[in-house]
Amino acid sequence: MGFYTNKKILITGATGTIGQQLVRQLLQEKPAVIRVFSRDEYKQYEMQQSLSGYNHVLRYLIGDVRDLNRLMRAMEDIDFVFHLAAMKHVPACEYNPFEAVQTNVIGTQNVIQAALYNNVSKVLFTSTDKAVSPINTYGATKLMGERIITAAEFQKGPKPTIFASVRFGNVMGSRGSVIPLFIKQILEKRKITVTDPDMKRYMMTPTQAIQLILEANVMSKGGEVFVLKMPKVKLSDLCEVLIERVSKKYQITDPIKIEQIGLRPGEKRDEQLMTPDERSKVIDTDFMYIIPPAFGYSKREYTINRSDGFIRGISYTADELISKEKLQEWLIEERLIE
């Protein structure tokens, strides 16, 4: 019997790219129920159509993490909460900063309060590498999300809920990310617009992201931030691979231009997985870094519980610059150009 077998699960933001993949993976674990919580009714309708064989397990709840009362009701009798809902688009957060605060910070505090009220077993918050030394609103709100999740672990009193975070890099193919954008630009405009071809970004496949979420939730003891050891991808390499694969698939013979447009508002040139202070106290495992909480921490031992599936998705070293050949493999394996 698996860790999630017969458990009751709530996923906020479950109609997003990662949310939908997480739902599909969790269905294989035979949970008692998965509550899909999001404010996008059309995406929920699409999920219902594509997962119609699981109507006995899936429940679709329209709601917003800004609404505490709705979260209170949604979490009744729930074992695990995966908090994925967020404003994620960097320029949108820059232009609408308080909207980002309401969703990413106040919404996360609402998740904490609802979980404590309902005695949820575990809450896992999904963060971003942009939370490390943030220079934009999105990163700043996600850093605040991490901090209030960690603080909740030590302000919960006798409540049993365990709170932890996972920190992502860029997830390949997710909604609003560069791969769908570049493919669309190649097909429609025969050119790609890129901030800086020499820029490097931490990237992970959707499969790796899901494995990180599930593994971290199993391992969490309270207050940690889990960071997958991610490789880096050079944007010029990603552009060249996509141009080659998309042109071949759609029989495009026109030359595809790469146009450099410079940094967007709030965009970092270089990203980090953790701060120097975090790195000085990190727990280093084979496949992830575990950043312990700032207070109430005593030495802990962590064991990879889902090793077979987890190891299968990891075929690189931390900070490795991924080759174009490996990029092509990932694009094909994850079906990101279909």
Side-chain angles (χ1 to χ4, degrees):
M1 196 164 78
F3 186 77
Y4 298 100
T5 304
N6 296 325
K7 298 298 184 182
K8 297 177 180 178
I9 300 165
L10 174 80
I11 304 173
T12 71
T15 53
T17 307
I18 299 302
Q20 291 196 41
Q21 297 216 25
L22 180 59
V23 167
R24 285 175 164 80
Q25 182 62 44
L26 283 169
L27 286 171
Q28 307 310 309
E29 306 273 342
K30 296 181 169 50
V33 68
I34 299 176
R35 293 179 188 163
V36 172
F37 185 94
S38 80
R39 60 185 184 179
D40 193 328
E41 59 182 306
Y42 183 67
K43 286 286 185 183
Q44 287 198 13
Y45 168 76
E46 288 185 319
M47 278 187 75
Q48 284 178 300
Q49 299 307 303
S50 63
L51 295 172
S52 58
Y54 294 97
N55 287 337
H56 60 294
V57 177
L58 294 174
R59 302 290 181 269
Y60 296 90
L61 308 182
I62 299 293
D64 194 316
V65 293
R66 299 182 182 191
D67 185 343
L68 176 59
N69 289 332
R70 181 58 170 152
L71 280 171
M72 293 276 200
R73 290 276 290 141
M75 284 191 205
E76 286 182 1
D77 204 27
I78 285 292
D79 297 303
F80 302 130
V81 172
F82 295 96
H83 178 32
L84 276 60
M87 279 185 64
K88 302 180 179 74
H89 193 250
V90 170
C93 290
E94 288 301 292
Y95 194 70
N96 305 278
F98 190 63
E99 296 303 309
V101 169
Q102 290 193 91
T103 297
N104 297 354
V105 181
I106 298 172
T108 299
Q109 181 62 31
N110 288 341
V111 167
I112 291 168
Q113 289 180 242
L116 290 173
Y117 180 81
N118 286 289
N119 292 312
V120 169
S121 294
K122 287 191 172 187
V123 174
L124 192 71
F125 169 71
T126 55
S127 186
T128 169
D129 56 2
K130 292 175 178 61
V132 181
S133 303
I135 65 164
N136 55 50
T137 304
Y138 172 51
T141 57
K142 280 297 195 175
L143 176 60
M144 277 301 302
E146 285 186 11
R147 295 297 167 87
I148 61 177
I149 284 285
T150 296
E153 179 63 32
F154 302 100
Q155 296 173 357
K156 65 186 183 183
K159 293 286 188 175
T161 310
I162 290 173
F163 296 92
S165 303
V166 292
R167 193 180 283 171
F168 282 173
N170 297 276
V171 179
M172 297 174 69
S174 59
R175 189 168 60 180
S177 66
V178 294
I179 290 179
L181 172 64
F182 287 171
I183 293 172
K184 181 178 171 65
Q185 288 180 334
I186 292 168
L187 293 175
E188 296 180 0
K189 300 180 180 179
R190 300 297 195 262
K191 74 173 182 180
I192 286 176
T193 56
V194 62
T195 51
D196 181 348
D198 293 324
M199 188 183 289
K200 299 178 183 69
R201 286 289 183 260
Y202 287 105
M203 284 200 181
M204 60 202 307
T205 68
T207 299
Q208 292 159 359
I210 299 306
Q211 291 293 349
L212 172 62
I213 290 172
L214 296 177
E215 181 64 30
N217 194 54
V218 173
M219 293 173 66
S220 65
K221 301 181 189 302
E224 311 93 339
V225 178
F226 295 87
V227 187
L228 185 69
K229 291 184 175 180
M230 285 174 283
K232 289 183 175 180
V233 172
K234 191 175 181 181
L235 285 188
S236 60
D237 289 345
L238 180 60
C239 291
E240 289 171 19
V241 169
L242 282 172
I243 288 170
E244 179 184 338
R245 299 298 306 179
V246 174
S247 296
K248 182 177 179 181
K249 178 177 175 62
Y250 294 97
Q251 299 180 332
I252 297 172
T253 56
D254 301 332
I256 308 297
K257 298 178 182 177
I258 298 177
E259 179 183 336
Q260 185 171 343
I261 59 173
L263 294 174
R264 300 175 301 173
E267 190 168 29
K268 268 186 175 183
R269 184 167 297 280
D270 297 302
E271 291 178 344
Q272 306 162 275
L273 291 181
M274 62 190 88
T275 65
D277 181 61
E278 289 172 335
R279 195 173 287 277
S280 70
K281 62 184 180 182
V282 76
I283 300 167
D284 192 345
T285 72
D286 287 344
F287 306 107
M288 66 170 77
Y289 300 110
I290 304 172
I291 302 169
F295 25 57
Y297 168 69
S298 58
K299 190 68 177 175
R300 299 164 173 171
E301 297 293 329
Y302 293 90
T303 304
I304 300 286
N305 295 292
R306 301 168 60 85
S307 56
D308 291 344
F310 197 61
I311 292 169
R312 197 180 308 127
I314 310 299
S315 56
Y316 50 80
T317 57
D319 291 306
E320 173 187 341
L321 185 62
I322 289 296
S323 67
K324 289 193 277 189
E325 290 73 25
K326 174 61 72 175
L327 265 176
Q328 290 208 49
E329 283 180 29
W330 283 1
L331 290 170
I332 293 168
E333 287 172 6
E334 299 285 335
R335 300 179 178 180
L336 296 178
I337 308 183
E338 293 187 0

